[in-house]
Amino acid sequence: MPRRAWVIAGTAVGLGLAVLAAGLSLAGYDAGAALAALWTGAFGSWYAFTSATLVRAVPLILIGLGIALGFRAGVFNIGAEGQFYAGAIAATWVGLHVGAMPAALAISAVWSAALLAGACWVAVPVGLRMRYGVLEVISTLLLNFVAEALVSFVVQGPLQERQGIYPQSDPIALSARLPFIPGTRLHVGLFLALGCAGVLWYLFARTRWGFKLRAVGAGPRAAEVSGRIDSRRVTAQALLASGAIAGLAGGVEVTGVSYALYQNLSPGYGFTAIAVALLARLHPLAVVAAGLLFGALEAGAGAMQRDAGVPAVAVSVVEAVVLIVVVIAAAGVQRIGLVGAARARRRAA
Amino acid sequence: MSGLEELTAGFLAAAVRVATPLLLAATGETVTERAGVINLGIEGMMLAGALAAALGASAAGPWTGVLAGIGAGTALALVFAAVVVGARGDQIITGTAVTLGAVGLTGMVYRQAYGTAGAGLNLPTLAALPVPGLREIPLIGPALFDQPAPTYLAILALPIVWWCLFRTRAGLMLRATGESQAMARAAGVRTGLVRAVATLIGGAFAGLAGATLVLAQVGTFAEKMTAGRGFIAIAIVVLGRWHPAGVGLAALLFGAATALQFLFQTLGWDVPYQLFLMLPYGLTLLALAGLVGRVRPPADLGRG
């Protein structure tokens, strides 16, 4: 990343934490104790770093990559939360039925189901946009609520645990659970996230499709006229891929962390990942770093709630400030391409 | 009253009650979007309005709560306007950020004010104010004229907003800004100011909507209690074609979709309640798809 990007990222995060501290003090909390708990929960020990921070970074990196991919093509996928849940539902359902398979096969089956479910969930907004011109901002957003209601339904209906008491599913088969990295609770899904980041970097930087994607994102009309690119097709592909990755993240969470489906499985990963993608300026390798940072924040939030009595949801203030700083910086220089892309896209529509 | 008539009247009354906060938020968002600003932050502004209303009401009565709600919504709208109009930030992302921030802030304040147990608030609420005479009209009487004050405000706001938007010079300037900021500016309109004011009006309405939710409907505050109503309000604006009359009808449609739940419960039909949680969102998507080619948003909507 160029130096300016580091400055913006540093400012955004620093300011976010400052606003959080100020807010906590104003609301009457012990801000010092809260921030100390935040730090300890995220980086206090090797165990905290691997088993709290990195575990939460995995879904953030994956979803962040998906969102970055969409943004690159100029589409706003604000529905990653819903796609994540769609993936988690499919993963749980398949995961309950793969007990007889060897682990590699079982995990592949579960992940494929999650990937597919995420893609199917976003296929609705894709279809609505292609066929009817409904803005994906609104449709993806609304589908988040449908997905949450769907989770609530299946964990009290078809997928409820055998005794029928708790609103959650039975645990998935042992063969579908990811192995841990020794000495931690960190599952090997981390390598999938890192691998995806590498693949996306290669796609963006080195392939025809990546070039088309960026061209459409920079200006769909220009891409069509001068590059003879079918921008509708590229846009649809980007949105589908974006949803598929978010769905996969749901599958990874079920196979590596929760082993079961329940409500509030995600503490808002789908929204936090928007901040991850934008802070990383849509660069796949930077998404890894930003995902780590926000993973630390999520991990610290849990500790903050336990040890300092501050509700974990308070850290979304940091996410909000980060988004706003990044947006202002982008508007000032328009180098991020995002704002310009969105504007050009709307002009073309 | 016969059983059927009673059932219908109850259904209509519930539909109007549920529709009120949606209508208020959507009316404000109509003004904002007519000026060319799409504000996804109204979800957060509703939430902030709801918490402020709860705090204000428990301190000094329901009407203080209403004012506090409006104030909180407007204050957040000021932040949104500063970023979007002042710094020309992207509207969609800024709106998402404002909503996220409001979720965090309300969570913090709520926990501090009411402790971890929370919920069991005993708030002074806004009672129904029956309009003498009109209340006796069969069916629609109880639905429209036996409601708490915010419902009357919401209904009165529709013609007022219509008149301001389409019959005044200020309204013309506002719509011109939404259609083409550049041309409006060339014609001497201070477009930045217009957009900022339109955003603040939208925020005030959203805050009032949140206050209504707490003080006239639910009677308590809970974390994330708006549950996407702000986003539904945005969909209602599209569905109502950016016109107060259409917005009124669309909001009522949503109220009816939610009120179906109560109707089914009364009738003893066993349908999973989650279906009703999905219904308004699914209905919006269907309705948006059905409007193909027949609606046109303000041409400069979303552009900095």
Side-chain angles (χ1 to χ4, degrees), chain A residues 210-257:
Chain A
F211 175 76
K212 283 186 188 173
L213 201 74
R214 284 182 292 139
V216 170
R221 287 277 298 138
E224 270 172 24
V225 173
S226 65
R228 275 180 271 158
I229 295 169
D230 184 349
S231 66
R232 277 165 56 91
R233 192 187 156 99
V234 173
T235 307
Q237 287 170 339
L239 206 48
L240 279 173
S242 165
I245 299 177
L248 177 62
V252 171
E253 194 71 2
V254 168
T255 50
V257 182

Side-chain angles (χ1 to χ4, degrees), chain B residues 20-47:
Chain B
T20 301
L22 296 175
L23 177 55
L24 284 167
T27 305
E29 179 70 9
T30 305
V31 175
T32 311
E33 290 198 15
R34 277 283 181 175
V37 177
I38 181 164
N39 182 0
L40 288 189
I42 60 169
E43 170 77 9
M45 294 166 198
M46 269 181 91
L47 191 61

Side-chain angles (χ1 to χ4, degrees), chain B residues 202-290:
Chain B
F205 268 103
L208 176 61
T212 303
L213 193 63
V214 166
L215 298 173
Q217 205 171 313
V218 182
T220 182
F221 179 86
E223 273 180 36
K224 300 186 189 174
M225 74 176 295
T226 45
R229 285 182 178 81
F231 301 135
I232 290 195
I234 291 171
I236 286 177
V237 175
V238 181
L239 221 55
R241 305 179 186 197
W242 292 271
H243 191 284
V247 165
L249 282 177
L252 199 61
L253 182 72
F254 272 91
T258 312
L260 268 182
Q261 183 181 354
F262 310 128
L263 187 68
F264 277 37
Q265 272 166 6
T266 320
L267 292 169
W269 292 356
D270 187 27
V271 182
Y273 73 92
Q274 293 93 350
L275 192 70
F276 294 102
L277 294 181
M278 296 180 198
L279 196 61
Y281 309 102
L283 195 71
T284 314
L285 289 174
L286 277 180
L288 289 178

Side-chain angles (χ1 to χ4, degrees), chain A residues 91 94-95 97-114 173-179 255:
Chain A
V94 174
H97 295 95
V98 291
M101 292 184 191
L105 202 60
I107 290 167
S108 313
V110 172
W111 282 3
S112 311
L174 288 171
S175 61
R177 298 184 194 178
L178 298 181
T255 50

Side-chain angles (χ1 to χ4, degrees), chain B:
Chain B
M1 269 201 271
S2 71
L4 183 66
E5 201 184 324
E6 204 170 317
L7 203 65
T8 318
F11 169 70
L12 288 176
V16 173
R17 193 170 60 240
V18 175
T20 301
L22 296 175
L23 177 55
L24 284 167
T27 305
E29 179 70 9
T30 305
V31 175
T32 311
E33 290 198 15
R34 277 283 181 175
V37 177
I38 181 164
N39 182 0
L40 288 189
I42 60 169
E43 170 77 9
M45 294 166 198
M46 269 181 91
L47 191 61
L51 179 61
L55 292 171
S58 40
W63 284 104
T64 313
V66 169
L67 289 179
I70 295 175
T74 315
L76 269 187
L78 195 61
V79 176
F80 179 85
V83 178
V84 161
V85 181
R88 305 240 162 176
D90 182 86
Q91 297 178 4
I92 301 290
I93 298 168
T94 309
T96 312
V98 166
T99 295
L100 269 174
V103 168
L105 282 176
T106 52
M108 262 155 55
V109 173
Y110 171 66
R111 182 73 59 93
Q112 195 65 12
Y114 296 109
T116 41
L121 302 168
N122 228 336
L123 286 179
T125 50
L126 294 165
L129 288 173
V131 182
L134 293 175
R135 198 222 161 280
E136 311 307 326
I137 305 172
L139 290 181
I140 63 159
L144 289 178
F145 302 110
D146 192 8
Q147 297 277 359
T151 302
Y152 305 135
L153 281 179
I155 295 171
L156 283 177
L158 286 179
I160 294 174
V161 165
W162 173 81
W163 191 79
C164 289
L165 280 179
F166 296 98
R167 289 291 181 272
T168 66
R169 207 182 135 66
L172 181 64
M173 277 158 45
L174 186 140
R175 286 184 292 126
T177 305
E179 292 298 338
S180 169
Q181 208 181 183
M183 279 192 211
R185 200 178 298 130
V189 179
R190 296 174 66 187
T191 55
L193 184 70
V194 167
R195 285 188 157 190
V197 170
T199 305
L200 291 182
I201 293 173
F205 268 103
L208 176 61
T212 303
L213 193 63
V214 166
L215 298 173
Q217 205 171 313
V218 182
T220 182
F221 179 86
E223 273 180 36
K224 300 186 189 174
M225 74 176 295
T226 45
R229 285 182 178 81
F231 301 135
I232 290 195
I234 291 171
I236 286 177
V237 175
V238 181
L239 221 55
R241 305 179 186 197
W242 292 271
H243 191 284
V247 165
L249 282 177
L252 199 61
L253 182 72
F254 272 91
T258 312
L260 268 182
Q261 183 181 354
F262 310 128
L263 187 68
F264 277 37
Q265 272 166 6
T266 320
L267 292 169
W269 292 356
D270 187 27
V271 182
Y273 73 92
Q274 293 93 350
L275 192 70
F276 294 102
L277 294 181
M278 296 180 198
L279 196 61
Y281 309 102
L283 195 71
T284 314
L285 289 174
L286 277 180
L288 289 178
L291 286 175
V292 205
R294 281 185 285 141
V295 292
R296 195 187 60 80
D300 254 1
L301 185 63
R303 291 192 193 154

